[in-house]
Amino acid sequence: FFLLPDGSEDSLKPLLDRLREEPLDKEVKLPFELTVLEAILVTSLEAYVKDVKECSAESEVLLRRLRKTISASTLNSAYVLKGRVTHQYQQVKQAQDALERIQNDDSQMALMNLTEIFKDPQGYDDLLQFRRSSTAHKQ
């Protein structure tokens, strides 16, 4: 699943544009699902980078205001900015943890190859059953 926070439908256009692009290396033909995964990761990364730049610019303005005078409104702005940065950090960390969990799980990695599943669903199911049974014997 690819979940978008409310109000971030504008993330879909760059994602769809990236999927329509021709690959830079035409000799390497990635399965469609890996092309989609790459597009999602790059689009997400660009969105986070954009938000970090916005927070950085906002923090510079806020620091200038703090140097002149400390007021309740300035402190509140700093608190709101800190919340935004913390939220973005948590989202990036959760995405990193999810990717690491998937990469460390052979069964999940195998399920990412949808092209092969589509070509031979029964053979793929048999392979997954075999992996599960061999893992169960080790426990």
Side-chain angles (χ1 to χ4, degrees):
F1 294 100
F2 184 63
L3 301 176
L4 292 172
D6 287 339
S8 62
E9 291 82 12
D10 56 334
S11 299
L12 289 177
K13 184 176 177 354
L15 175 64
L16 294 173
D17 291 345
R18 185 164 282 107
L19 285 171
R20 291 182 186 113
E21 286 177 3
E22 289 292 321
L24 296 176
D25 188 355
K26 298 193 189 263
E27 292 178 17
V28 176
K29 177 71 173 134
L30 288 176
F32 177 73
E33 54 274 14
L34 293 180
T35 303
V36 170
L37 178 62
E38 178 187 40
I40 290 170
L41 291 173
V42 170
T43 303
S44 298
L45 176 68
E46 288 175 353
Y48 288 127
V49 166
K50 178 184 171 201
D51 199 49
V52 166
K53 286 180 181 179
E54 289 173 4
C55 287
S56 179
E58 193 175 321
S59 70
E60 288 176 20
V61 171
L62 188 59
L63 285 173
R64 274 189 245 120
R65 283 177 39 203
L66 280 171
R67 284 187 192 118
K68 290 180 183 177
T69 181
I70 295 177
S71 67
S73 112
T74 305
L75 291 174
N76 189 47
S77 296
Y79 179 74
V80 169
L81 179 60
K82 179 184 179 271
R84 279 182 56 205
V85 170
T86 300
H87 177 73
Q88 290 301 323
Y89 174 77
Q90 288 171 343
Q91 285 189 315
V92 170
K93 184 67 177 143
Q94 287 172 353
Q96 178 186 5
D97 292 345
L99 286 171
E100 286 175 357
R101 276 194 308 276
I102 290 170
Q103 287 175 329
N104 292 330
D105 185 339
D106 290 340
S107 296
Q108 295 235 355
M109 287 299 291
L111 288 172
M112 291 185 73
N113 197 347
L114 299 175
T115 303
E116 291 301 317
I117 294 172
F118 181 74
K119 287 180 184 174
D120 182 16
Q122 186 57 48
Y124 214 75
D125 188 49
D126 293 344
L127 177 63
L128 287 176
Q129 292 299 330
F130 174 75
R131 284 187 176 172
R132 284 187 192 123
S133 66
S134 64
T135 305
H137 290 289
K138 291 179 184 178
Q139 295 175 350

